[in-house]
């Protein structure tokens, strides 16, 4: 390693040659395996606690049932979704669409303000990789240097034993994740059936578990950082989502350059970076953050911890690598909660409230009422007119609903064909027909707007407006 100071000129004609190649691919296009050193420090500790919370949520949510119904379910094959115990149907597509739009706006605003905070702190790929698989690897194979030595060593009994232990542990963990993942799709009770009943009755389920386990295993044992640096679409969008005011993990080149080996000389012309490469050694994507913002950076903060440790060791202030914006670094400012961030946070909260209100006020029963096609009005005796209607009802609840229909604010009656109520089974669609009978003296125009109340017992579920057809005014109805 050169002892000469190296100056990264970030402001004027920066040397961007590092962008011509991937840190994890060599000149021949072969994958360079990343041996990331185990991070230590306050950020890593807090991330560990956050990951515990994340794992507790992830592994318990599919097992929470309310009134016999999963609290969360994402049954994509059957288009059935349950969020917070509420069943969502294809009829709720507009809520789904709005959720997607909110999600996209959320991502754009959040990233513009806070960079890849999500990737480093809560993305399942990062958390599983860094907080589970990587930790198991450290426990079995040792830290980065030992792993490198072991990989370079010939295949001895010891190496076979260590590698076998690691890969079996990885597969078992992938199997656990695959089962959890599947229980979000089919429900934990259905998963339990696959596990406990004869396998011949659940071949598709079994195959799904094996495929998911193998995919997870391949991702965490082999693909690893490639998922973030090559495959993840969110990572690819960073160049358009970030701007100079976005909060990123950044190297303070103003303070750090010109870098060079540590010296105690008071009159040294060097900056604070002692060129120890600790920030590079801990980086799970093998980049050198001192080169500037890079798409491969997943904002994991490992380099912040590493650099803070080095700064403390040499008696210099922490924060040479820190959360900051590019503007903040060029002006030598620490990260601030700017007006722009406040604005975006406010907007994100507003969007969340709108979506939350929509979800909370979503109707449990969707009904459509239409007059029977091709039929006008009929006379009933000398003093009444009737119209025939068809009703379609989607029951999104987990209980059967005996639905009755009443006229709101109008004298008259409803005659449901086949009985006083229409029974709609839970999570199914039902239909029926009914007559609305109105006194003839109430009909003064060809179309009279009426309001029909849908009731379960005395509980009003919904009110639907429709038209009642009568004779054209002035015509003789006899
Ligand atoms: S540069 Fe730092 S924050 Fe970015 S991925 Fe590497 S270690 Fe994590
Ligand atoms: S850890 Fe800090 S001091 Fe060491 S090379 Fe990285 S930026 Fe420089």
């Amino acid at each position: 390693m050169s002892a000469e100071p190296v100056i990264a000129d970030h402001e004027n004609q920066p040397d961007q040659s590092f962008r011509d190649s991937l840190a994890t691919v060599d000149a021949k296009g072969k994958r360079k395996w990343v041996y990331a050193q185990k991070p230590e420090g306050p950020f890593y500790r807090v991330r560990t606690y956050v990951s515990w919370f994340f794992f507790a949520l992830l592994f318990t949510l599919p097992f929470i049932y309310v009134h016999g119904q999963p609290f969360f379910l994402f049954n994509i094959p059957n288009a059935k979704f349950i969020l917070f115990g509420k069943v969502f149907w294809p009829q709720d597509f507009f809520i789904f669409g709005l959720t997607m739009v909110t999600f996209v706006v959320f991502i754009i605003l959040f990233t513009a303000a806070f960079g890849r905070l999500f990737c480093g702190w809560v993305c399942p790929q990062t958390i599983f990789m860094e907080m589970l698989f990587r930790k198991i690897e450290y426990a079995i194979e040792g830290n980065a240097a030992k792993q490198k030595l072991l990989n370079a060593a010939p295949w001895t009994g010891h190496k076979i034993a260590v590698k076998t232990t690691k890969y079996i542990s990885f597969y078992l963990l992938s199997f656990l994740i695959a089962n959890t993942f599947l229980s979000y799709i089919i429900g934990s009770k259905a998963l339990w059936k696959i596990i406990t009943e004869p396998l011949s009755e659940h071949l598709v389920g079994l195959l799904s578990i094996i495929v998911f386990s193998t995919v997870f295993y391949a991702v965490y044992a082999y693909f690893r950082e490639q998922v973030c640096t090559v495959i993840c679409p969110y990572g690819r969008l960073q160049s358009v989502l970030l701007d100079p005011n976005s909060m990123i993990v950044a190297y303070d080149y103003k303070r750090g350059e010109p870098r060079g080996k540590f010296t105690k000389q008071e009159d040294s012309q060097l900056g604070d970076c002692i060129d120890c490469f600790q920030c590079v050694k801990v980086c799970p994507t093998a980049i050198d953050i001192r080169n500037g913002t890079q798409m491969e950076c997943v904002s994991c903060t490992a380099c912040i911890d590493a650099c803070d440790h080095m700064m403390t060791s040499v008696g210099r202030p922490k924060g040479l690598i820190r959360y900051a914006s590019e503007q903040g670094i060029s002006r030598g400012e620490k990260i601030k909660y700017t007006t722009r961030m406040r604005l975006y946070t406010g907007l994100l909260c507003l969007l969340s409230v709108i979506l939350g209100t929509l979800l909370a006020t979503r109707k449990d029963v969707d009904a459509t009422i239409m007059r029977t096609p091709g039929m006008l009005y009929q006379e009933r005796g000398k003093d009444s007119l009737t119209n025939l209607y068809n009703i379609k009802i989607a029951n999104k609840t987990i209980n059967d609903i005996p639905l009755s229909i009443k006229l709101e604010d109008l004298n008259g009656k409803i005659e449901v064909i086949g009985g006083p109520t229409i029974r709609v089974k839970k999570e199914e669609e039902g239909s029926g027909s009914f007559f609305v009978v109105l006194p003839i003296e109430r009909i003064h125009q060809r179309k009279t707007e009426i309001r029909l109340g849908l009731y379960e017992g005395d509980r009003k579920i919904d009110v639907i407006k429709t038209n009642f057809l009568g004779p054209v005014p002035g015509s003789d109805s006899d």
Side-chain angles (χ1 to χ4, degrees):
M1 224 176 290
S2 165
E4 289 295 306
V6 181
I7 300 176
D9 184 355
H10 288 249
E11 284 170 324
N12 307 308
Q13 299 294 322
D15 175 11
Q16 300 286 321
S17 57
F18 67 94
R19 297 195 194 276
D20 297 341
S21 57
L22 279 174
T24 51
V25 177
D26 68 15
K28 290 183 184 156
K30 239 180 110 198
R31 169 104 176 261
K32 273 199 266 176
W33 192 258
V34 178
Y35 296 97
Q37 206 160 285
K38 187 175 182 198
E40 277 172 22
F43 278 102
Y44 189 66
R45 260 198 307 283
V46 179
R47 280 178 62 222
T48 302
Y49 300 143
V50 171
S51 73
W52 289 350
F53 176 70
F54 172 85
F55 293 139
L57 269 188
L58 187 94
F59 288 113
T60 53
L61 279 182
F63 300 95
I64 299 176
Y65 277 68
V66 180
H67 304 305
Q69 189 83 354
F71 202 51
F72 282 97
L73 188 80
F74 303 93
N75 193 334
I76 298 163
N78 295 335
K80 182 181 176 184
F81 300 90
I82 303 178
L83 297 176
F84 302 102
K86 282 205 164 207
V87 185
F88 288 83
W89 282 46
Q91 286 95 328
D92 297 311
F93 188 77
F94 80 97
I95 295 186
F96 182 73
L98 193 73
T99 308
M100 287 296 108
V101 171
T102 309
F103 184 64
V104 170
V105 175
F106 193 96
I107 285 186
I108 293 170
L109 295 188
F110 188 86
T111 311
F114 302 103
R116 293 182 78 170
L117 203 62
F118 167 84
C119 299
W121 291 81
V122 282
C123 171
Q125 166 65 19
T126 313
I127 298 213
F128 277 127
M129 184 65 238
E130 302 307 322
M131 296 294 161
L132 271 183
F133 288 88
R134 190 90 71 184
K135 283 187 175 180
I136 290 174
E137 195 167 59
Y138 290 137
I140 296 173
E141 290 191 349
N143 211 336
K146 280 193 176 173
Q147 290 174 22
K148 204 170 181 180
L149 277 178
L150 186 72
N151 280 0
W155 282 96
T156 59
H158 169 74
K159 180 169 173 175
I160 291 171
V162 170
K163 290 285 178 192
T164 309
T165 312
K166 177 175 113 172
Y167 290 128
I168 288 178
S169 311
F170 273 21
Y171 199 86
L172 289 178
L173 196 51
S174 304
F175 183 74
L176 177 71
I177 296 170
N179 277 275
T180 311
F181 183 64
L182 202 61
S183 61
Y184 275 100
I185 298 175
I186 61 172
S188 53
K189 287 182 181 170
L191 178 71
W192 185 243
K193 278 188 176 180
I194 297 176
I195 295 168
T196 53
E197 291 180 359
L199 289 179
S200 55
E201 290 174 23
H202 298 284
L203 285 178
V204 175
L206 179 70
L207 192 70
S208 307
I209 293 177
I210 294 172
V211 169
F212 282 142
S213 304
T214 310
V215 168
F216 284 123
Y217 173 78
V219 164
Y220 296 114
Y222 299 104
F223 290 121
R224 301 185 155 205
E225 78 289 340
Q226 299 295 310
V227 174
C228 307
T229 58
V230 179
I231 299 170
C232 174
Y234 180 57
R236 308 275 64 69
L237 281 174
Q238 293 310 304
S239 51
V240 285
L241 294 178
L242 294 178
D243 66 34
N245 291 305
S246 305
M247 185 182 90
I248 49 171
V249 173
Y251 165 69
D252 187 343
Y253 58 90
K254 291 256 175 183
R255 198 188 121 188
E257 303 296 323
R259 68 188 77 158
K261 291 293 168 206
F262 175 63
T263 164
K264 284 187 176 164
Q265 285 170 1
E266 290 291 320
D267 58 349
S268 166
Q269 298 297 306
L270 296 176
D272 276 351
C273 174
I274 56 170
D275 213 12
C276 63
F277 276 85
Q278 288 307 308
C279 50
V280 183
K281 286 180 184 163
V282 292
C283 180
T285 59
I287 58 170
D288 188 340
I289 193 66
R290 294 173 299 171
N291 287 330
T293 317
Q294 290 153 76
M295 270 203 302
E296 293 89 341
C297 174
V298 292
S299 267
C300 72
T301 68
C303 54
I304 300 183
D305 275 334
C307 190
D308 279 351
H309 176 73
M310 294 315 294
M311 288 296 103
T312 309
S313 309
V314 296
R316 291 177 185 169
K318 292 178 183 177
L320 181 56
I321 300 176
R322 60 178 186 267
Y323 276 125
S325 66
E326 280 185 5
Q327 290 277 28
I329 293 286
S330 65
R331 292 180 192 146
E333 294 168 357
K334 295 220 166 182
I335 192 73
K336 284 190 293 197
Y337 192 53
T338 58
T339 312
R340 178 171 165 273
M341 284 177 172
R342 280 194 204 106
L343 205 70
Y344 282 1
T345 310
L347 207 54
L348 294 176
C349 291
L350 186 71
L351 279 172
S352 309
V353 168
I354 292 173
L355 192 64
T357 311
L358 269 175
L359 291 177
T361 56
R362 189 204 65 132
K363 291 176 190 161
D364 283 340
V365 172
D366 260 352
T368 321
I369 294 178
M370 292 177 74
R371 265 187 314 98
T372 307
M375 291 193 74
L376 295 174
Y377 63 93
Q378 298 89 46
E379 293 172 357
R380 173 80 59 92
K382 291 212 176 293
D383 57 354
S384 299
L385 294 176
T386 67
N387 274 196
L388 181 61
Y389 296 85
N390 294 330
I391 181 168
K392 276 195 175 170
I393 313 128
N395 178 2
K396 303 174 195 169
T397 70
I398 53 166
N399 302 309
D400 292 358
I401 295 182
L403 196 83
S404 56
I405 308 166
K406 293 178 188 172
L407 269 170
E408 303 278 311
D409 328 315
L410 205 59
N411 286 334
K413 60 178 177 175
I414 304 284
E415 292 172 358
V416 176
I417 296 171
T421 60
I422 300 168
R423 193 159 194 89
V424 195
K425 288 194 173 164
K426 64 175 183 175
E427 298 177 33
E428 284 191 14
E429 283 184 323
S431 61
S433 300
F434 63 92
F435 284 104
V436 174
V437 187
L438 290 182
I440 207 160
E441 77 261 14
R442 296 300 310 261
I443 311 301
H444 306 296
Q445 51 197 1
R446 175 145 170 77
K447 277 187 184 174
T448 306
E449 189 181 275
I450 57 172
R451 294 168 71 238
L452 299 168
L454 307 182
Y455 288 80
E456 182 188 7
D458 289 334
R459 188 173 73 92
K460 191 192 286 185
I461 298 173
D462 201 1
V463 174
I464 294 181
K465 286 182 189 167
T466 185
N467 286 316
F468 186 93
L469 278 193
V472 179
S475 72
D476 189 355
S477 63
D478 290 333

